[in-house]
């Protein structure tokens, strides 16, 4: 399935506390069971994010959610879910999480699934990001020691995007640190049957 899959936008909305959340569902896949699994994974993940962001907090003022599709081609769907919440204080807090699927099988990928088992991908990616932190003069709260094995990521524009949450390594004012890594630069460690290989330029 090389063509993009069809997506529809759904909304969760109520007035008190203010709740306005947009999220995607996949439609018209050839196999209903795969479509159901992907949509179930999206909704389950979104629900966890809403709870983490204080959905049941008695002081909650508002939650706003949205999504972006980063890749939708060659059988790969990679998207981000963003949830902002405010429960008082100086400012609210936003979290971003991402999901990457093979739409032909329904498989959802973790970061480790993108690389050969013996690739030591954590060390390889951490060294690339460490270099970018220095080159881009990224302000850090503490010295960068490397990514987690299950670090947040998505796929976009022939690149693997590794990113970090607010406060994970950087001050609030810096926002979300994103580190694009060209797939060609890490081609030697990616799985041949994984999504990154499918995204290599022809």
């Amino acid at each position: 399935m090389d063509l993009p899959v069809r997506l529809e936008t759904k909304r969760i909305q109520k007035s008190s506390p203010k709740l306005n959340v947009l999220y995607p569902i996949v439609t018209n896949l050839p196999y209903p069971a795969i479509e159901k699994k992907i949509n179930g994974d999206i909704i389950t993940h979104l629900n966890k994010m809403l709870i983490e962001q204080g959905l049941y907090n008695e002081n909650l003022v508002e939650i706003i959610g949205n999504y972006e599709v980063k890749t939708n081609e060659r059988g790969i769907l990679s998207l981000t879910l963003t949830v902002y919440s405010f429960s008082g204080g100086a400012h609210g807090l936003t979290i971003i999480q991402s999901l990457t699927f093979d739409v032909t099988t329904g498989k959802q990928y973790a970061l480790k699934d993108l690389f050969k088992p013996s690739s030591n991908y954590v060390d390889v990616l951490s060294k690339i990001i460490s270099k970018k932190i220095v080159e881009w003069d990224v302000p850090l709260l503490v010295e960068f020691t490397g990514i987690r094995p299950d670090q947040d990521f998505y796929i976009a524009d022939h690149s693997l995007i590794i990113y970090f949450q607010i406060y994970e390594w950087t001050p609030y004012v810096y926002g979300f640190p994103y580190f694009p890594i060209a797939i060609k630069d890490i081609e030697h460690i990616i799985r041949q049957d994984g999504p990154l290989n499918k995204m290599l330029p022809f």
Side-chain angles (χ1 to χ4, degrees):
M1 182 183 293
D2 291 333
L3 296 176
V5 299
R6 187 179 301 177
L7 295 165
E8 292 182 2
T9 298
K10 297 292 184 180
R11 184 190 299 268
I12 304 170
Q13 189 170 31
K14 70 175 188 175
S15 57
S16 183
K18 182 180 178 183
L19 187 65
N20 188 13
V21 178
L22 302 178
Y23 65 95
I25 62 167
V26 174
T27 65
N28 292 341
L29 284 185
Y31 300 103
I34 294 174
E35 180 179 302
K36 182 177 180 180
K37 180 194 178 297
I38 292 173
N39 289 332
D41 286 350
I42 292 172
I43 293 168
T44 296
H45 203 86
L46 176 62
N47 284 337
K48 289 179 180 178
M49 293 175 69
L50 294 175
I51 292 170
E52 180 181 340
Q53 287 290 76
L55 180 62
Y56 299 118
N57 185 335
E58 62 182 16
N59 297 318
L60 179 66
V61 176
E62 69 173 343
I63 287 183
I64 300 171
N66 213 330
Y67 72 93
E68 291 185 11
V69 176
K70 300 299 186 177
T71 291
N72 184 10
E73 62 175 322
R74 305 185 193 179
I76 302 301
L77 175 65
S78 192
L79 56 89
T80 58
L81 302 171
T82 303
V83 177
Y84 163 85
S85 70
F86 180 69
S87 299
H91 53 71
L93 183 65
T94 303
I95 60 174
I96 296 177
Q97 295 184 7
S98 43
L99 301 168
T100 297
F101 298 98
D102 183 324
V103 299
T104 64
T105 64
K107 178 178 175 60
Q108 181 184 337
Y109 292 99
L111 185 62
K112 64 180 176 60
D113 300 326
L114 310 184
F115 300 100
K116 298 173 183 176
S118 59
S119 64
N120 197 16
Y121 71 93
V122 170
D123 192 44
V124 173
L125 299 181
S126 295
K127 287 179 179 177
I128 293 172
I129 291 169
S130 292
K131 185 177 179 182
K132 291 180 183 289
I133 286 173
V134 173
E135 290 175 350
W136 299 346
D137 197 22
V138 177
L140 298 176
L141 294 170
V142 295
E143 184 180 357
F144 180 71
T145 55
I147 66 168
R148 304 187 316 271
D150 62 346
Q151 191 65 51
D152 296 317
F153 78 94
Y154 59 84
I155 299 169
D157 301 325
H158 308 301
S159 295
L160 171 67
I161 315 298
I162 300 292
Y163 65 95
F164 302 94
Q165 300 299 320
I166 292 173
Y167 292 131
E168 190 169 354
W169 291 106
T170 54
Y172 177 85
V173 294
Y174 189 80
F176 294 91
Y178 296 92
F179 295 93
I181 300 171
I183 298 173
K184 288 291 289 183
D185 292 346
I186 52 173
E187 187 175 2
H188 60 292
I189 63 169
I190 66 175
R191 291 181 64 106
Q192 295 304 300
D193 58 349
L196 293 183
N197 194 54
K198 294 181 180 180
M199 292 296 111
L200 281 170
F202 291 125

